Amino acid sequence: GTKKKAACPGRGLFYNVLSAFLFSVASLFLKKIEDVHSVEVSAFRCVFQMAFVLPGLIYYKTGFLGPKGKRIFLFFRGFLGSSAMILLYYAFQVMPLADATVITFSSPVFTSLLAWIFLKEKYSIWDLLFTLFAITGVVLIARPPFLFGSNVTGIEGSYTDHLKGTIAAITSTVSAALTFVILRKVGKSVHYFLSIWYYAVIGLIGCVIALFVMNEWRLPYCGKDRVLLILIGLLGLGGQIFLTKALQIEKAGPVAIMKTMDVVFAFILQILFLNHLPTWWTVGGALCVVASSCGTAICKWRQSLKKAKQNEI
């Protein structure tokens, strides 16, 4: 018989870090675009993903619809994933890069709660504590006037836009958490190219409808914006592929812990390229959210290891 090729240790975690870097750079380019609506940027990214995923679907002979029993999951994965992308892009455009990234980093906490609801996974008192920590971090970043007064500093533009961006980022986080639950439910039964295909097709349809209703569709005037749109599409595609592969070959706990690199990259890029120093409120909120997300990941990781040992016995 032939020997099975040994898996490279840490490959899933490396994919996760690479995914975080690509997404962070794409977010930086999004901040640099001047005259393109966030929904239109999302539509361009979906077009790029469809164009690059289509040859993979043909090569691997996966089909375009997937297994009958998994199509409903793929539909909701595409709808929720694309909604999270659109809302996140809007948040990036109206609030500081680090603030939006930190809020979306609370996704593991919401994933834990939603997994308890839909997948019947254990939800302990520690999970509740970490959820409260994450909410505290989001409040420190949003800084509502009824708690912090009307003089809010360290934001981009008006506080109304900052609040809208915060709401969009929170909604994006919940949608992304639901997407993670669906991906874990589907597992390896569906090829990751097919998962991304649904994400792109449903996202493009939703973006076109939204742009038609808002009458916001227009080609970028500047050549720089067109180049940035292409780069955002390529980087978004790469980040999506590596994130999906990481979730398929690595346990959710280590992947969630390594996603702290999202926050690190966001702070570094914001300081170096946007000349925007984060406030102490943002730093404090980031520490709360990172602590809660890492704590949730560690608890879930220990539970999975304990369950694996029990199954061996």
Side-chain angles (χ1 to χ4, degrees), residues 67-265:
K68 288 186 178 181
K70 304 295 182 181
R71 291 175 186 174
I72 185 65
F73 294 109
L74 288 170
F75 171 80
F76 280 109
R77 180 266 184 273
F79 175 75
L80 293 168
S82 58
S83 299
M85 172 186 64
I86 295 170
L87 292 167
L88 179 59
Y89 278 10
Y90 174 77
F92 280 141
Q93 285 192 331
V94 299
M95 64 188 306
L97 179 63
D99 290 18
T101 303
V102 169
I103 292 175
T104 57
F105 187 72
S106 61
S107 178
V109 178
F110 291 103
T111 302
S112 177
L113 177 61
L114 294 171
W116 169 60
I117 296 173
F118 294 107
L119 302 181
K120 307 303 179 183
E121 293 185 2
K122 184 178 179 182
Y123 191 78
S124 64
I125 188 65
W126 284 105
D127 294 312
L128 177 60
L129 180 63
F130 295 140
T131 301
L132 295 176
F133 258 95
I135 294 174
T136 301
V138 173
V139 170
L140 290 176
I141 293 173
R143 282 166 283 165
F146 68 89
L147 289 177
F148 294 85
S150 58
N151 187 19
V152 179
T153 59
I155 62 175
E156 293 181 0
S158 66
Y159 181 77
T160 301
D161 288 339
H162 183 78
L163 185 60
K164 289 179 180 179
T166 301
I167 295 173
I170 294 173
T171 308
S172 171
T173 299
V174 176
S175 298
L178 285 168
T179 303
F180 287 141
V181 171
I182 293 173
L183 285 173
R184 297 304 295 177
K185 176 71 175 179
V186 172
K188 296 182 180 180
S189 61
V190 175
H191 198 279
Y192 65 92
F193 270 169
L194 189 60
S195 175
I196 299 173
W197 173 256
Y198 267 81
Y199 175 97
V201 171
I202 295 176
L204 179 61
I205 294 173
C207 288
V208 170
I209 294 174
L211 289 169
F212 177 77
V213 172
M214 297 185 300
N215 195 25
E216 286 285 350
W217 181 269
R218 61 180 181 271
L219 289 175
Y221 299 109
C222 176
K224 182 190 73 172
D225 284 351
R226 298 177 185 180
V227 173
L228 291 177
L229 276 175
I230 295 174
L231 292 176
I232 289 172
L234 294 174
L235 293 169
L237 172 66
Q240 192 66 39
I241 290 175
F242 286 119
L243 177 60
T244 304
K245 287 185 67 67
L247 287 168
Q248 286 184 335
I249 66 177
E250 188 62 74
K251 293 185 181 297
V255 170
I257 293 173
M258 290 303 294
K259 279 190 71 62
T260 52
M261 295 305 298
D262 289 41
V263 178
V264 174
F265 288 138

